[in-house]
Amino acid sequence: MSDANATPTEAIPIPSPVPDPLSMREVLAIAPLRRLWYAQTVSVFGDFMALFAVITVMTFTLHATPQQITGIQIAYLLPIAILGVISGVFVDRWPVKTTLVASDYVRALLCLLLLGAHHIWEYYAVMASISVFSSFFAPAQGVAIRSVVPMHGLRSANSLMQQAFFILRIVGGPVAVFVVHAFTAKWNYLVDSASFIASGTLIASIALNIPRKSTVAVTPKPESVNSAVVVKEKTGIARILEDMKEGISFIFHHAALLFVILALAAGMFVMGCFGPLIAVFVRDSLKASSGVFSVCSASIGIGLFLGMMAINAVAKKLKNTTLVYFGLGGIAAGTLVMAIGPHITVAHVPIDIAFTIIGCFAIGFACAGIIIPSQTMIQQETPQAMLGRVGSTVMSLIFSAQIAGLLLSGVLANYTSIRRVFILCTIMLALLMLAGKLWMEPKEHTPAPAAA
């Protein structure tokens, strides 16, 4: 006999299945993302055309010193490192499409200033001014990608963008040098300016409907005349500082996100160290030619490209943090292999040169395991309203790490050997992996018990 007062059994909600990650082909079928990719491809190619033209002119026409050549990289990185934290505040409040298009068109005009540059400080000034507007473009692009790509397609979307960057980095150099020698560097600058116009025009054709952070002051109704409380939103510098604090606080209170950001910064620091040191390492430690240096540099680029392909081909089901651990471990292994390569020859093959090439490839391959998952996790874990601030803060941190790598590599190499600098990088990465395991592992989300 049934109990009339019995409470019917509540239906337990069945979680919806997690969709399979989208492939790069499927992501590229999304029309807005495809146009963003076209815009990125065009503008990055123009950037490298101009950058390598500037380096070529400074090296062979102005006879700049190695420190002055390195200064070009710092002139471009420094404004982004300084302004990154601030620019994201404005990106979160400004219309995203307007920010992207305006940044492209202004940079197109600034590129034309290179046509009249004849002194080293003029090249520094133009590259730094272009970098100022790049500090607004990069986080706005991250917001745009998040708005047009579903969550399960973000990893492929980021891989697609990064692959275009690194492929064009490999292709852009030889093309730029050929144009400089066959014609003149001014053609490179004109191509760069035109590429920004093309990029801005492509982005202007995309429909981006992204809600911006409200700026309307909230005034609660007073309970009585005597207890009226008026809440006013901060304005001016106070509001900017408050928004910066909110974005930074979100990062530091999200352990897993903080871990992948630190991992990304560590990877960029190591890459910054390698930039100026590999050539010297090949010349002084390996006693090898410039051809070996070219092979080592190409090995890093090839490793990055293949690493990104591998992530999308065989690592779709792995967690972002797991891939970051693999990335840190791979970079640590690569630096260690370069540091311990013995100076002997087996079957006419110098072992230390072989170790260096293998180490460079491993570093590039492993970097893909940090760059793509960290960008994806930042986009997935950050609320839409503060994605610009978090993205620009990350950008500021990684560019600062690159500058630190550029500056400290020479100092450390003077106080010790280059091989020991590589060992120090290995130790730093190993400690970061340990810290991530002990204190920054993401907590598993357990469903709340159903109400009785």
Side-chain angles (χ1 to χ4, degrees):
M1 182 173 180
S2 62
D3 188 354
N5 296 324
T7 303
T9 304
E10 294 185 3
I12 300 176
I14 301 175
S16 57
V18 179
D20 292 332
L22 297 178
S23 67
M24 285 193 288
R25 181 185 295 273
E26 291 170 327
V27 165
L28 201 56
I30 302 172
L33 189 278
R34 186 167 61 249
R35 294 189 184 185
L36 284 171
W37 181 72
Y38 288 154
Q40 160 111 342
T41 302
V42 170
S43 63
V44 167
F45 178 73
D47 280 348
F48 284 121
M49 287 283 287
L51 177 61
F52 283 104
V54 168
I55 293 175
T56 301
V57 170
M58 288 182 61
T59 302
F60 297 101
T61 302
L62 302 180
H63 304 288
T65 65
Q67 290 79 9
Q68 289 171 329
I69 298 297
T70 303
I72 278 289
Q73 300 179 59
I74 295 176
Y76 185 79
L77 296 174
L78 190 59
I80 298 179
I82 295 174
L83 296 176
V85 181
I86 302 173
S87 62
V89 174
F90 296 99
V91 168
D92 280 333
R93 293 181 175 273
W94 292 345
V96 172
K97 184 161 72 172
T98 302
T99 303
L100 291 169
V101 174
S103 296
D104 270 340
Y105 287 167
V106 172
R107 288 185 292 176
L109 293 174
L110 292 173
C111 286
L112 296 178
L113 295 178
L114 291 170
L115 296 172
H118 300 288
H119 303 284
I120 291 176
W121 68 267
E122 292 173 336
Y123 288 109
Y124 286 172
V126 175
M127 298 303 289
S129 62
I130 293 173
S131 176
V132 169
F133 291 91
S134 296
S135 70
F136 292 91
F137 183 90
Q141 185 185 55
V143 176
I145 292 173
R146 157 81 176 268
S147 70
V148 300
V149 178
M151 288 292 187
H152 58 290
L154 285 175
R155 185 184 289 181
S156 291
N158 287 314
S159 296
L160 198 65
M161 291 293 186
Q162 291 297 325
Q163 279 187 12
F165 178 86
F166 288 111
I167 290 173
L168 292 171
R169 181 176 185 178
I170 296 171
V171 174
V175 173
V177 174
F178 169 78
V179 172
V180 170
H181 288 300
F183 304 98
T184 175
K186 292 183 178 180
W187 283 103
N188 295 62
Y189 309 148
L190 291 172
V191 168
D192 194 17
S193 180
S195 72
F196 280 124
I197 294 174
S199 173
T201 303
L202 279 167
I203 294 173
S205 67
I206 302 173
L208 294 175
N209 298 315
I210 304 172
R212 297 290 85 201
K213 184 175 179 179
S214 175
T215 58
V216 179
V218 179
T219 306
K221 294 181 180 180
E223 296 180 0
S224 64
V225 176
N226 296 329
S227 62
V229 178
V230 178
V231 178
K232 296 181 179 179
E233 183 177 322
K234 295 179 180 180
T235 59
I237 295 177
R239 186 177 70 185
I240 293 174
L241 294 175
E242 183 67 23
D243 283 354
M244 288 171 53
K245 180 181 177 182
E246 186 180 11
I248 295 172
S249 176
F250 173 79
I251 293 173
F252 278 90
H253 286 85
H254 194 305
L257 195 60
L258 179 62
F259 168 64
V260 298
I261 291 172
L262 290 177
L264 183 58
M268 293 303 102
F269 174 81
V270 172
M271 295 296 284
C273 284
F274 273 34
L277 287 185
I278 287 182
V280 180
F281 181 70
V282 169
R283 183 193 67 192
D284 296 344
S285 298
L286 304 183
K287 309 297 182 183
S289 65
S290 59
V292 174
F293 168 62
S294 299
V295 173
C296 291
S297 299
S299 297
I300 295 177
I302 294 171
L304 271 165
F305 178 76
L306 294 180
M308 291 177 187
M309 294 291 290
I311 286 175
N312 287 283
V314 300
K316 289 183 178 181
K317 298 296 185 179
L318 293 179
K319 295 190 299 182
N320 290 319
T321 48
T322 301
L323 287 173
V324 170
Y325 280 122
F326 282 137
L328 288 172
I331 297 176
T335 55
L336 184 61
V337 164
M338 294 175 65
I340 64 176
H343 191 67
I344 58 175
T345 299
V346 176
H348 304 290
V349 177
I351 297 300
D352 52 354
I353 293 179
F355 271 43
T356 301
I357 295 172
I358 293 171
C360 287
F361 177 84
I363 290 168
F365 189 90
C367 267
I370 297 178
I371 295 173
I372 302 305
S374 61
Q375 289 180 335
T376 302
M377 190 169 176
I378 290 165
Q379 291 169 337
Q380 290 176 339
E381 299 291 330
T382 305
Q384 181 77 46
M386 62 172 64
L387 190 58
R389 276 166 286 170
V390 172
S392 64
T393 301
V394 173
M395 182 178 63
S396 175
L397 184 61
I398 64 176
F399 274 61
S400 298
Q402 283 183 281
I403 294 173
L406 286 169
L407 296 177
L408 290 178
S409 59
V411 175
L412 292 173
N414 286 334
Y415 279 98
T416 183
S417 67
I418 296 179
R419 289 183 185 273
R420 289 179 180 174
V421 173
F422 292 161
I423 291 176
L424 288 175
C425 289
T426 302
I427 295 172
M428 177 191 70
L429 295 168
L431 290 175
L432 181 57
M433 291 175 65
L434 179 62
K437 270 294 181 185
L438 292 178
W439 298 297
M440 298 180 182
E441 280 287 317
K443 302 294 188 297
E444 294 293 336
H445 298 286
T446 54

